[in-house]
């Protein structure tokens, strides 16, 4: 199994940037993909971006973050990043990383991102 720890969240003004990190430990060689999810207050957790091993750097972005966010990883899949630029108040929420590991999924505890007007 794997363990995930998110970091990098904080309070930022609209238009600013943050870089979130998802540090993975354990059997990271078996991770097939990692996704970043956002849960805003009173809303369901939604996929923001993901990256898989399939084609090396296969990525997905929600329409709301395309052109602003970039997901990346190190070669050993020890850390997955979410670079967030041009942040908007609607980006506010708790950001969680999720790792696909065989047939299981593992979650971190999340990191808070708050974007002020």
């Amino acid at each position: 199994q794997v363990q995930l720890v998110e970091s990098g969240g904080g309070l930022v003004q609209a238009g600013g940037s943050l870089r979130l990190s998802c540090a993975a430990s354990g059997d990271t060689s078996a991770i097939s993909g990692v996704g970043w999810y956002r849960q805003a207050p009173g809303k369901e957790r939604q996929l923001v971006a993901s990256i898989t091993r399939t084609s090396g750097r296969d990525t997905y972005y929600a329409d709301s973050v395309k052109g602003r966010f970039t997901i990346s990883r190190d070669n050993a899949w020890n850390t997955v990043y979410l670079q967030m630029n041009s942040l908007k108040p609607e980006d506010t929420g708790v950001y969680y990383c999720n790792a696909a590991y065989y047939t299981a999924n593992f979650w971190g505890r999340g990191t808070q991102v708050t974007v002020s007007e």
Side-chain angles (χ1 to χ4, degrees), residues 17-92:
S17 298
L18 287 172
R19 188 175 76 157
L20 306 184
S21 297
C22 175
S25 60
D27 188 16
T28 59
S29 65
I31 293 174
S32 59
V34 171
W36 280 99
Y37 291 74
R38 177 176 64 225
Q39 187 162 30
K43 293 189 175 183
E44 297 180 354
R45 191 173 300 182
Q46 296 183 325
L47 179 64
V48 173
S50 66
I51 185 167
T52 70
R53 290 186 188 267
T54 305
S55 58
R57 300 185 189 277
D58 190 24
T59 58
Y60 162 85
Y61 298 96
D63 287 343
S64 62
V65 306
K66 285 182 178 177
R68 300 189 297 120
F69 290 10
T70 303
I71 190 169
S72 61
R73 60 167 179 85
D74 62 19
N75 289 335
W77 287 80
N78 295 131
T79 308
V80 176
Y81 305 95
L82 186 67
Q83 178 66 46
M84 305 186 295
N85 298 325
S86 302
L87 282 162
K88 304 175 181 179
E90 51 262 45
D91 295 320
T92 293

